[in-house]
Amino acid sequence: MAAGQGFKTFTTGEVLTAGDVNGYLMQGVLVFASAAARNAAITSPQEGQFAFTKDTNGLWYYDGAAWVASGATGDIEGVTAGVGITGGGTSGTVTITNDMATTITASGDIVVGTGSGTYDNLPIGTTGQILTADTTVSPYKVKWATAAASSGPAFRAYASTNQTVSGATFTKIVFGTENFDTDNCFASNDFTPTKAGYYQLNANIETTGATGNDYFYIYKNGSDYQRFRSPISGSGSYQLSQLVYLNGTTDYANVYWYNSAITVVSGSALTSFSGVWIRS
């Protein structure tokens, strides 16, 4: 078949040659050098008529009012699935699917990276767990873990019998009865918590026989940490409250008295020692 010769209007009675038939009538799409050549040749285009312009490799159709670029450039030869995509094809209806839709297998799954361009689902944890980074876990590098406790040891103890204290002697105060001791950290009148953190310690003591210039202490690890000095003689009540860091292993705290020979008055509301974990 001869190459397309463009557009020609035949007149009534004109005899068509083989070249005319092959070059004009057998042409499905009219071919022109340019849009200007097309417009000059086709002065009365018909709706649905197609034309191809060689200067722009453009395919046009006439919509009844104007020539419109069809957009059918024909440069897609196939759809190939990339990373995280399945499906594709080279003809017909092409379907592609995001692999994430099949990676997630249950409600609550989390998609996490397992390497360069790869991922997998991390199943949902259990109630109360938290998601935490862990570079030793392969291939996820994250894991579900039990949340750190938001509370720590707490205790309160009081003097259940009167205690006689000698003068000019550093004496540990005895708290013989516990109101509570959540983690069994109070023993032998020492508080030795098993969780590191900041603790609020409170101590109060009721005495008789003080002669003045007396000292009431909170000790940490056998040394004066916080003190109260009273110049007043006679019976009295002394209080201390202090924030202290305890390392959760070897650190401990207790209560001491120094100077006057006194009697420590027993009673839960009179002489007590308490502490509670605040934060790590």
Side-chain angles (χ1 to χ4, degrees), residues 82-204:
V83 176
I85 300 294
T86 57
T90 59
S91 63
T93 301
V94 176
T95 300
I96 59 173
T97 302
N98 186 338
D99 284 350
M100 192 174 295
T102 55
T103 298
I104 298 175
T105 60
S107 176
D109 282 359
I110 297 175
V111 176
V112 295
T114 57
S116 177
T118 61
Y119 53 84
D120 199 358
N121 71 313
L122 178 65
I124 189 171
T126 58
T127 300
Q129 285 189 312
I130 60 172
L131 190 64
T132 182
D134 186 347
T135 58
T136 66
V137 178
S138 180
Y140 300 125
K141 306 305 182 187
V142 293
K143 67 178 182 180
W144 292 105
T146 301
S150 58
S151 61
F155 82 98
R156 186 181 191 275
Y158 66 93
S160 51
T161 59
N162 290 353
Q163 178 184 359
T164 300
V165 175
S166 300
T169 302
F170 288 93
T171 303
K172 185 193 293 189
I173 304 303
V174 175
F175 303 94
T177 301
E178 294 179 351
N179 297 104
F180 54 85
D181 184 8
T182 61
D183 293 63
N184 297 317
C185 294
F186 185 76
S188 301
N189 302 297
D190 296 339
F191 177 53
T192 311
T194 54
K195 180 176 181 178
Y198 295 91
Y199 287 82
Q200 181 67 48
L201 300 181
N202 307 290
N204 61 281

Side-chain angles (χ1 to χ4, degrees), residues 9 15 19 41 76 87-88 94 96 101 107 113 131 153 176 193 196 201 208 220 223 236 261 279:
T9 301
V15 177
I76 298 177
V94 176
I96 59 173
S107 176
L131 190 64
L201 300 181
T208 60
K220 175 184 175 180
S223 298
R279 58 161 296 167

